[in-house]
Amino acid sequence: MPEPPAWLRWLPVLYVAAVLLLEPATPVEWPVSFVLIALPLVTAFAYGPVAVAGATVFAVVLEGVLAGTPCCAGRPVGHLWDRYYVASYVCTALVGVLGTILAAHRTHRERTLADVRFVADIAQRVLLRPVPHRIGDLLLDSLYLSAAAEARIGGDLYEAVPTRYGTRLLIGDVRGKGLLAVETAAALLGAFREAAHDEPALPALADRVETSMDRRAALLGGNEVGERFVTAVFVEIPAGEPVLRVVNCGHPPPVLIRSGEVRELDSGRSAPPLNLGVLAGEPYHVEEYSFRPGDQLLLYTDGITETRDPDGSFYPLLQRLRAWRSLPPQGLLEQLHHDLLAYSGDRLQDDIAALAVCLPADGPAGPACVAGVDVM
């Protein structure tokens, strides 16, 4: 269960200290001690029911001390049982009971939320398991940020699978939010992880995954079957070949980072999103690009480029990448993570996923990716 902030834990102490400072500075006919009625509720913001009950007893006792202590408050002892002070004791006790109930309810909700977050963390590790940091000669890293801290998981997805055809990558974005989006992402990842080992051609892999998505959409039924689609990019990087192959299904194009160059791999021949290909009837187009030592590829979801600053301006991804092009995948995504949060003022509008892949310039044993030579 998360700890409350320090200022909230110290608030009851500061509250009592303020009362003790004001009491001798105010006229006798203005009993500041009456505000101690609120002490149980102030305590309930940060502490459990036992602490709130203790604060209630302390508040009643302190009210009595301030009501009938000539040396501290300047009032005669007889005021201790004055009807106004007795009413204050009763009100403090009543507020204490309510504060104790509130604290018990709050702690129960916090424990429930902590359990839900724990389950969400486990589900995310199963659904979006971390990619290996190395596959063959390639260095990899991944990033996932949820727009809602309580949700933790959503419809953005990524995967990297080593196969006999080379390393195959996937990044996608499921339309919509909630449980249906998570279920769709899980079905898509399961189909990709299985088919990536079986299909020799990248278009056939995309077609196999779309067939699985179409079948699942038909089983779900409902009026929105045709709208349950996924934008995705499939990438293949064969071992020992200086190329990469891309099939884009309505997704933001990958970005190639090279010495002195950062550009989108966009041929203008993107296929429809998955689950809409049957309606459009268009074939998958595979595009081939040079990918040599020192090059780095960034796959991302549109939550990155659609991130806005307080003025409403979109995040300038390509501009930022030009300043970070010498960073390895882990450093690149860490920098992207911090920059996105700073740019948006810690208020992301959408889930974000990214996958960075690099072929080190100094060979398989190289510690990091460095700027390569422009050979395109």
Side-chain angles (χ1 to χ4, degrees), residues 315-360:
Y315 184 75
L317 177 62
L318 297 183
Q319 176 183 335
R320 293 295 206 269
L321 291 177
R322 291 187 180 96
W324 307 331
R325 59 178 177 266
S326 62
L327 295 176
Q330 182 177 2
L332 177 69
L333 294 185
E334 286 179 354
Q335 188 68 43
L336 180 62
H337 179 180
H338 297 308
D339 196 51
L340 283 167
L341 293 178
Y343 189 84
S344 65
D346 288 332
R347 294 183 178 181
L348 297 175
Q349 291 85 25
D350 197 1
D351 296 341
I352 286 171
L355 183 63
V357 186
C358 180
L359 180 62

Side-chain angles (χ1 to χ4, degrees), residues 129 159-165 168 170 186-200 204-206 208-209 212 215 234:
R129 58 194 181 195
E159 184 59 287
V161 179
T163 72
R164 55 181 170 172
Y165 310 110
R168 286 179 162 174
L170 167 68
L188 175 59
L189 286 169
F192 173 78
R193 289 164 180 163
E194 181 68 22
H197 295 279
D198 299 333
E199 298 296 340
L205 171 59
R208 170 95 168 265
V209 172
S212 297
R215 187 181 301 117
F234 298 85

Side-chain angles (χ1 to χ4, degrees), residues 294-314:
D295 291 351
Q296 187 162 194
L297 186 70
L298 177 67
L299 309 175
Y300 63 94
T301 58
D302 59 9
I304 291 181
T305 51
E306 292 181 0
T307 296
R308 297 174 182 261
D309 65 9
D311 296 328
S313 300
F314 289 108

Side-chain angles (χ1 to χ4, degrees), residues 5 64 85 100 134 155 170 192 229 248 291 313 319 325 365:
Y85 289 100
T100 302
R134 181 182 287 276
L170 167 68
F192 173 78
F229 61 85
N248 193 329
F291 192 67
S313 300
Q319 176 183 335
R325 59 178 177 266

